[in-house]
Amino acid sequence: MKAYRFYGWETALIRDELGLTPRDYYDLLSEIWCAETCAPRMRKDWTPENRTLGQCSITAFLIQDIYGGKVYGVPLGDGNYHCFNAVGDCVFDLTSEQFGDTRLDYDHCPEQDRTVHFAKAEKKERYELLKERLLARRSAG
């Protein structure tokens, strides 16, 4: 079995209607995460080697569209939250690699509201772009 580096990968075994797991979506997203989908405040630091940087909220809400569940946010101490997914007992964070060896505390995190996140037009546009590219990539096989 291929080893992944995102949080919760070992138990991310849920499947969507196509039979795809979060690991499969990580593989697909790894091909399309880019500076254009990265949060503008982090773009200068985005690299192909750190492709999950600045992708958390748009990725988490897109994954919520696929599996349902809830999106939670780890408080970062600067007023921002790092978003991750919880679907039943399955908790995973497809973009946790951006923190390197820093371990985040995923316990007792507040639920995140997409209407609040998408009140920022640029974030909604990045989400739509990522969604469009993911659906195209998924269709291509």
Side-chain angles (χ1 to χ4, degrees), residues 29-39 43 46-48 51-55 58 126 129-130 133:
L29 288 162
S30 290
E31 298 173 12
I32 58 177
W33 280 317
C34 62
E36 194 177 4
T37 57
C38 178
R43 261 185 207 146
W46 188 91
T47 65
R51 63 183 56 252
T52 63
L53 181 70
Q55 312 284 342
I58 63 172
R126 289 187 298 113
L129 177 61
L130 189 66
R133 290 179 178 176

Side-chain angles (χ1 to χ4, degrees), residues 26-97:
Y26 175 87
D27 291 339
L28 291 169
L29 288 162
S30 290
E31 298 173 12
I32 58 177
W33 280 317
C34 62
E36 194 177 4
T37 57
C38 178
R41 64 186 170 83
M42 302 170 132
R43 261 185 207 146
K44 66 179 177 29
D45 297 320
W46 188 91
T47 65
E49 294 74 37
N50 192 5
R51 63 183 56 252
T52 63
L53 181 70
Q55 312 284 342
C56 75
S57 63
I58 63 172
T59 298
F61 288 117
L62 183 52
I63 293 300
Q64 182 185 44
D65 292 344
I66 295 166
Y67 294 108
K70 297 187 179 206
V71 172
Y72 291 98
V74 176
L76 296 178
D78 62 357
N80 291 303
Y81 290 88
H82 174 71
C83 295
F84 65 95
N85 295 87
V87 182
D89 292 338
C90 185
V91 177
F92 57 96
D93 179 357
L94 295 184
T95 64
S96 61
E97 288 178 60

